[in-house]
């Protein structure tokens, strides 16, 4: 695969931003084998924003010849009091439910689950003096203002009452980038501030593992789109506001989980925010795009409609569907029905896993999330 083909894979939907495209092209041209990483807190059930959107980009990176890594951020989750702050439970869920679910999703999306390295944060840090020196070196080169600015919107709003653990979190994220030699740190657009911190300290820190021919390589940050919550009632006014209105596992009605039944999916999509003719920040259109138009279609997508309302519509691209919806040629109810069926088809291999070999894992997760 030539450089431009690799770049096209990495840049395609659901990529929102690359910092910067020029630096990424240069690295690909040099022919250096690049490392990627994306980190996840360990908490409740995996929804399609975490699962399908994130892993679709992992698969694209695999196909572009990049080594992909998933950090199971158990220490970060503990700092953030996930799963009741029970570190033992967090670790168990990380290496069982999270690993197996991500592997099944990667496989369902056409990737190789064995080609992605899964790293437990505890294992990365344990007896690793270099990591702790790196972390301290990073803190030497960050200001309190920079760290506070990189926090989530919740942390910034809490003012002086913010837990100290929240301030530890961003430097840990920056250290993870370098400890994993991640030329391409990856996350949702809500992770942008942490990745910018990594880029800002790249020229300052002493313990620096990422070099090519003696030249330091600044991390090239990749950010994918966030799926709007299904239950939003109005369009977000900005990307920053969207980060507050994204799908959330803590609000089940806002999200579709990768193990949801077909009936669950139909009901959730039927109730989703989907104003007529509105295409920006429309969660139903976003769901259709990721489920039916991620790959170039080999046959047209058929949107079923009653004959009295014009009959079925065929489309080869997402842009065609979006244009027809904007023009009022597709009713929200018909769009929702088509989207639900496309998503059911995409998730079928994952759902089948949780009805068979993964049934015990799913039951254990239900017990954990119910009690916590």
């Amino acid at each position: 695969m030539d450089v431009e083909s690799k770049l096209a894979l990495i840049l395609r939907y659901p990529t929102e931003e690359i910092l910067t495209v020029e630096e990424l092209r240069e690295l690909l041209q040099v022919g250096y084998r690049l490392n990627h990483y994306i980190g996840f807190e360990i908490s409740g059930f995996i929804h399609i924003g975490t699962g399908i959107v994130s892993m679709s980009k992992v698969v694209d990176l695999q196909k572009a010849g990049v080594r992909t890594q998933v950090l199971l951020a158990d220490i970060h989750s503990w700092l953030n009091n996930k799963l009741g702050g029970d570190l033992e439970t967090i670790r168990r869920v990380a290496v069982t439910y999270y690993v197996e679910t991500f592997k099944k999703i990667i496989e369902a999306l056409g990737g190789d689950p064995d080609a992605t390295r899964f790293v437990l944060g505890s294992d990365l840090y344990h007896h690793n003096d270099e990591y702790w020196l790196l972390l301290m070196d990073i803190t030497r080169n960050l200001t309190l203002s920079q760290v506070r600015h990189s926090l989530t919107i919740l942390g910034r709003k809490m003012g002086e009452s913010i837990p100290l653990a929240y301030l530890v979190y961003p430097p840990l994220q920056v250290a993870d980038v370098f400890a994993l030699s991640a030329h391409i740190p990856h996350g949702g657009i809500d992770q942008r501030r942490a990745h910018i911190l990594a880029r800002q300290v790249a020229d300052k820190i002493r313990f620096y593992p990422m070099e090519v021919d003696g030249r330091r390589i600044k991390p090239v940050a990749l950010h994918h789109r966030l799926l709007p919550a299904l239950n939003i009632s109005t369009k977000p006014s900005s990307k920053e506001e969207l980060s507050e209105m994204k799908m959330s596992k803590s609000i089940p009605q806002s999200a579709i989980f990768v193990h949801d039944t077909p009936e669950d999916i139909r009901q959730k999509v039927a109730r989703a925010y989907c104003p007529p003719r509105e295409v920006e920040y429309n969660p139903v259109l976003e769901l259709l795009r990721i489920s039916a138009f991620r790959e170039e279609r080999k046959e047209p997508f058929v949107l079923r409609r009653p004959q009295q309302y014009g009959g079925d519509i065929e489309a080869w691209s997402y842009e065609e569907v979006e244009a027809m919806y904007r023009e009022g040629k597709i009713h929200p109810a018909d769009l929702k029905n088509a989207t639900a069926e496309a998503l059911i088809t995409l998730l079928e291999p994952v759902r089948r896993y949780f009805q068979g070999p993964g049934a015990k894992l799913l039951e254990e997760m239900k017990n954990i999330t119910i009690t916590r």
Side-chain angles (χ1 to χ4, degrees):
M1 189 180 295
D2 62 31
V3 167
E4 292 306 314
S5 297
K6 291 179 179 180
L7 196 61
L9 263 178
I10 297 171
L11 287 173
R12 74 173 180 170
Y13 182 86
T15 296
E16 178 91 351
E17 174 185 60
I18 298 281
L19 298 173
T20 68
V21 174
E22 293 73 19
E23 290 170 310
L24 179 57
R25 178 181 279 108
E26 182 182 354
L27 286 175
L28 292 171
Q29 287 172 339
V30 170
Y32 191 71
R33 183 70 185 274
L34 301 178
N35 296 321
H36 148 277
Y37 116 95
I38 184 170
F40 295 99
E41 282 193 336
I42 310 303
S43 51
F45 295 116
I46 293 173
H47 61 60
I48 59 173
T50 298
I52 301 301
V53 176
S54 300
M55 291 303 109
S56 69
K57 191 47 55 181
V58 168
V59 171
D60 287 344
L61 288 158
Q62 280 188 355
K63 292 178 178 178
V66 177
R67 295 189 191 96
T68 54
Q69 302 176 95
V70 171
L71 178 69
L72 306 162
D74 58 332
I75 299 301
H76 306 63
S77 307
W78 176 60
L79 284 173
N80 219 3
N81 206 38
K82 299 298 184 180
L83 297 182
D86 186 330
L87 187 54
E88 181 180 345
T89 299
I90 290 169
R91 286 171 173 164
R92 184 174 74 253
V93 169
V95 299
T96 55
Y97 170 74
Y98 269 68
V99 169
E100 295 306 317
T101 303
F102 283 141
K103 284 186 173 183
K104 293 308 296 185
I105 294 170
I106 289 171
E107 183 179 21
L109 293 173
D112 180 0
D114 295 327
T116 291
R117 177 192 178 204
F118 291 89
V119 182
L120 185 67
S122 294
D123 292 341
L124 179 64
Y125 313 146
H126 188 55
H127 292 323
N128 188 348
D129 290 346
E130 289 186 3
Y131 180 88
W132 298 108
L133 286 171
L134 171 65
L135 177 60
M136 293 301 101
D137 196 15
I138 287 167
T139 62
R140 289 171 62 242
N141 290 283
L142 289 175
T143 67
L144 178 59
S145 175
Q146 284 177 304
V147 173
R148 286 184 66 93
H149 187 65
S150 71
L151 296 176
T152 63
I153 190 69
L154 173 63
R156 294 199 300 278
K157 283 182 176 178
M158 291 177 70
E160 294 304 317
S161 65
I162 183 171
L164 182 59
Y166 285 16
L167 296 176
V168 175
Y169 201 111
L172 276 175
Q173 285 184 282
V174 174
D176 293 337
V177 172
F178 297 110
L180 291 167
S181 296
H183 307 95
I184 306 177
H186 164 209
I189 195 68
D190 55 339
Q191 301 301 307
R192 187 178 195 270
R193 294 178 185 273
H195 293 157
I196 287 176
L197 280 187
R199 288 175 57 82
Q200 288 173 339
V201 302
D203 294 327
K204 301 175 182 178
I205 58 177
R206 174 183 176 188
F207 300 92
Y208 201 88
M210 292 155 48
E211 296 184 354
V212 176
D213 298 329
R215 182 169 61 91
R216 290 188 168 201
I217 302 300
K218 186 177 291 190
V220 175
L222 187 163
H223 304 127
H224 62 248
R225 293 174 69 91
L226 299 175
L227 289 182
L230 299 179
N231 64 338
I232 62 175
S233 57
T234 185
K235 184 176 73 172
S237 61
S238 65
K239 292 179 182 179
E240 183 119 306
E241 187 176 343
L242 176 60
S243 70
E244 299 180 74
M245 301 170 68
K246 65 181 180 179
M247 278 193 183
S248 171
K249 63 189 71 175
S250 62
I251 307 175
Q253 65 269 28
S254 78
I256 291 173
F257 298 100
V258 295
H259 63 271
D260 276 348
T261 66
E263 190 53 37
D264 288 335
I265 293 172
R266 291 187 185 105
Q267 290 179 1
K268 288 181 178 181
V269 175
R271 293 193 296 264
Y273 174 78
C274 187
R277 297 175 178 263
E278 183 60 63
V279 299
E280 190 176 13
Y281 300 126
N282 184 322
V284 178
L285 279 171
E286 290 284 355
L287 292 180
L288 181 65
R289 189 173 188 180
I290 195 66
S291 57
F293 294 101
R294 192 179 79 86
E295 301 287 356
E296 185 176 345
R297 295 195 63 88
K298 296 179 181 178
E299 56 186 30
F301 176 76
V302 180
L303 193 148
R304 306 289 180 190
R305 296 192 308 181
Q307 196 60 44
Q308 64 265 37
Y309 297 120
D312 296 347
I313 294 177
E314 291 188 352
W316 285 93
S317 71
Y318 168 76
E319 287 74 20
E320 289 180 68
V321 176
E322 184 184 271
M324 286 188 285
Y325 190 76
R326 183 188 294 110
E327 294 164 7
K329 296 178 180 178
I330 298 175
H331 190 276
D334 295 323
L335 179 69
K336 288 180 176 184
N337 290 337
T339 298
E341 297 310 312
L343 197 53
I344 288 166
T345 300
L346 176 67
L347 291 173
E348 195 272 336
V350 183
R351 184 170 57 252
R352 189 170 62 243
Y353 168 75
F354 282 117
Q355 291 171 343
K360 183 178 178 182
L361 280 181
L362 189 60
E363 189 61 31
E364 289 175 353
M365 279 298 295
K366 288 179 180 177
N367 291 334
I368 290 169
T369 53
I370 287 171
T371 58
R372 299 181 193 279

